[in-house]
Amino acid sequence: MQVDPRGQRFAAAITTAVLAIVLVTGSAWLLACQALVFGVAVAAGVRRSPYGLLYAWLIRPRLGPPQETEDPAPPRFAQAVGLAFALIGLAGYLAVGAWLGVAATAFALLAAFLNAAFGLCLGCEMYLMMRRLTPVGRTP
């Protein structure tokens, strides 16, 4: 089932705000919550993620139908990349050093901001590039 790209941008906007708060406060707890959101999106799909459900219940009914939809695989992969950065950030804040937490969170924040502000999904682009580089008959 296809997804509404406006929902992805909405989720990216919330993620941007959450990650900005993490950077300001250094809150490993809040970063763990965001990692959980990423994990649900990877496991259940972006439509069933907490931000996807929030979009479907509160925002989508107030908008017209989307003019275009997209394959859910690239955004789901992007959520997996976000999860990886959030887990690295958690490891930094909790064990390795705050510098690693800040760096990983900042990279995730940059990617979320680019998607929210400009519709540029870096994880989606990575997914598509990997698909182009994968030999025919194999999946990434």
Side-chain angles (χ1 to χ4, degrees), residues 2-29:
Q2 299 287 88
V3 296
D4 184 345
R6 300 173 300 182
Q8 303 312 307
R9 289 184 77 173
F10 173 78
I14 295 174
T15 301
T16 298
V18 169
L19 293 176
I21 293 169
V22 169
L23 281 179
V24 169
T25 64
S27 173
W29 180 86

Side-chain angles (χ1 to χ4, degrees), residues 40-135:
V40 170
V42 171
V46 293
R47 292 176 57 130
R48 292 186 203 96
S49 73
Y51 300 158
L53 292 173
L54 187 63
Y55 173 78
W57 292 334
L58 294 179
I59 307 299
R60 175 71 170 87
R62 292 168 173 76
L63 303 174
Q67 293 187 8
E68 60 184 41
T69 58
E70 62 186 22
D71 179 15
R76 196 172 196 172
F77 179 81
Q79 295 294 303
V81 173
L83 175 60
F85 275 99
L87 293 175
I88 292 168
L90 271 174
Y93 281 120
L94 297 175
V96 178
W99 64 269
L100 181 60
V102 168
T105 303
F107 280 121
L109 172 62
L110 174 64
F113 174 76
L114 288 173
N115 193 356
F118 305 109
L120 175 61
C121 176
L122 294 179
C124 299
E125 294 300 323
M126 285 175 50
Y127 175 86
L128 296 173
M129 184 174 64
M130 288 173 45
R131 291 292 303 219
R132 282 186 221 115
L133 297 175
T134 303

